[in-house]
Amino acid sequence: QVQLAESGGGSVQAGGSLTLTCAISGITPKTTSTDSMAWFRQAPGKKREGVVLAYDGDNTFIWGDFVRGRFTYTRDSTQNTVALQMNDLKPEDTAMYYCAASVSFSAWNSGKADYWGQGTQVTVSS
């Protein structure tokens, strides 16, 4: 069973940066559920939305329209982590951010995934 644990959230001022990290555990040589990884976010009163969907084997990344080149996704297979570096943060980026695994494109568009972390809060003040 894949388990995900996010860290790195916090409070920053507009224009600042944060790097979120997701530690992946429970991987075996037969694990395929982490072939697709994603970050989502959900602000109070709003639907969960996809930040990035990553197919590392194909080096394919799909970004939410709101990202506009400000965020970077990386994966460290030796450490079993994925990271989301966020630059030029805006107050509207304030949300709970979730790491997810085993995500199809249609599921990502619907805010769904098979495996979830517990989330990490990002708060951006103006």
Side-chain angles (χ1 to χ4, degrees):
Q1 180 85 358
V2 170
Q3 294 182 320
L4 308 172
E6 304 93 334
S7 61
S11 298
V12 296
Q13 291 192 325
S17 299
L18 280 174
T19 298
L20 308 182
T21 301
C22 175
I24 307 166
S25 60
I27 294 177
T28 72
K30 296 183 179 180
T31 297
T32 59
S33 53
T34 56
D35 289 352
S36 57
M37 298 292 299
W39 287 91
F40 292 87
R41 71 183 189 181
Q42 188 166 21
K46 294 190 176 181
K47 293 194 308 181
R48 185 183 298 145
E49 62 181 347
V51 179
V52 61
L53 172 61
Y55 295 99
D56 295 286
D58 296 336
N59 204 34
T60 298
F61 307 96
I62 302 169
W63 292 94
D65 291 341
F66 57 87
V67 173
R68 294 188 178 93
R70 300 180 296 131
F71 298 174
T72 303
Y73 168 95
T74 56
R75 181 165 187 165
D76 186 336
S77 296
T78 61
Q79 299 291 325
N80 286 330
T81 60
V82 298
L84 182 70
Q85 181 179 345
M86 304 186 295
N87 299 320
D88 190 23
L89 284 162
K90 306 176 187 301
E92 51 265 39
D93 293 317
T94 296
M96 185 73 78
Y97 283 71
Y98 298 91
C99 176
S102 188
V103 192
S104 68
F105 177 70
S106 60
W108 182 77
N109 268 325
S110 300
K112 298 177 181 178
D114 289 339
Y115 299 96
W116 293 93
Q118 80 287 352
T120 187
Q121 178 68 38
V122 171
T123 302
V124 185
S125 58
S126 58

